[in-house]
Amino acid sequence: MDLIRLLLITSIATIIPGQVIRIPIVSSGAITLTDLSVAITVICFLFLTLITKKPLFLPKKIFYTLLLFCLCAFASTLLALNNFTPNQILESSLFLIRFILYFLIVVVSANVIKKNKVIQWLNAILFVGLVFTLIGILQIILIPDLSFLTIW
């Protein structure tokens, strides 16, 4: 599980460059570095959980809500097949996949982070948020007009 903890830290750390580095998939949709990191973390966690046959803890208070939302979103996507182009359906499906993966990070965290280490993890998240904020302040000082980026 140390690998999963390292991947969790990587997922948190990729929030900073993750919004800049994008891999275009469809015309107006892309996969970010954070998306890839979260997907790798979730897949490795599920694989290790299956191999070790360790019981998986699912937070019941939010799991059923997620399930209901995903069923509604999937049904909505199926109903939209006749009204939208395949690219638009693919793009909307990517948002649903992203939502599910980001929710599964909560499941990974609930299974990997020990209760006596929660404060350390919160400090790591706050540190990443502080760095992200400082980079944003530096950017607004150095490059206040970002209109030249509208072509991307």
Side-chain angles (χ1 to χ4, degrees), residues 12-31:
I12 293 168
T14 58
I15 292 172
I16 295 170
Q19 299 307 311
V20 176
I21 301 169
R22 296 175 159 271
I23 302 165
I25 300 294
V26 291
S27 60
S28 61
I31 295 177

Side-chain angles (χ1 to χ4, degrees), residues 54-74:
K54 187 177 177 184
L56 185 65
F57 170 70
L58 296 172
K60 289 182 177 71
K61 291 183 180 179
I62 57 175
F63 183 73
Y64 295 119
T65 308
L66 166 86
L67 193 60
L68 181 64
F69 175 82
C70 288
L71 286 173
C72 291
F74 185 70

Side-chain angles (χ1 to χ4, degrees), residues 25-111:
I25 300 294
V26 291
S27 60
S28 61
I31 295 177
T32 65
L33 186 62
T34 306
D35 296 337
L36 289 175
S37 177
V38 166
I40 291 169
T41 302
V42 168
I43 290 168
C44 287
F45 170 75
L46 292 175
F47 182 71
L48 285 175
T49 302
L50 287 173
I51 287 177
T52 60
K53 297 180 182 172
K54 187 177 177 184
L56 185 65
F57 170 70
L58 296 172
K60 289 182 177 71
K61 291 183 180 179
I62 57 175
F63 183 73
Y64 295 119
T65 308
L66 166 86
L67 193 60
L68 181 64
F69 175 82
C70 288
L71 286 173
C72 291
F74 185 70
S76 173
T77 303
L78 285 179
L79 291 173
L81 286 174
N82 293 332
N83 300 326
F84 295 102
T85 66
N87 273 348
Q88 291 172 326
I89 298 295
L90 177 63
E91 186 177 342
S92 65
S93 298
L94 286 176
F95 281 108
L96 180 59
I97 292 168
R98 179 181 287 156
F99 178 79
I100 292 169
L101 285 174
Y102 280 34
F103 173 79
L104 288 176
I105 280 292
V106 173
V107 174
V108 171
S109 300
N111 284 278

Side-chain angles (χ1 to χ4, degrees), residues 120-134:
Q120 292 174 342
W121 282 89
L122 286 176
N123 286 337
I125 292 169
L126 289 173
F127 177 74
V128 169
L130 175 69
V131 170
F132 196 67
T133 303
L134 292 176

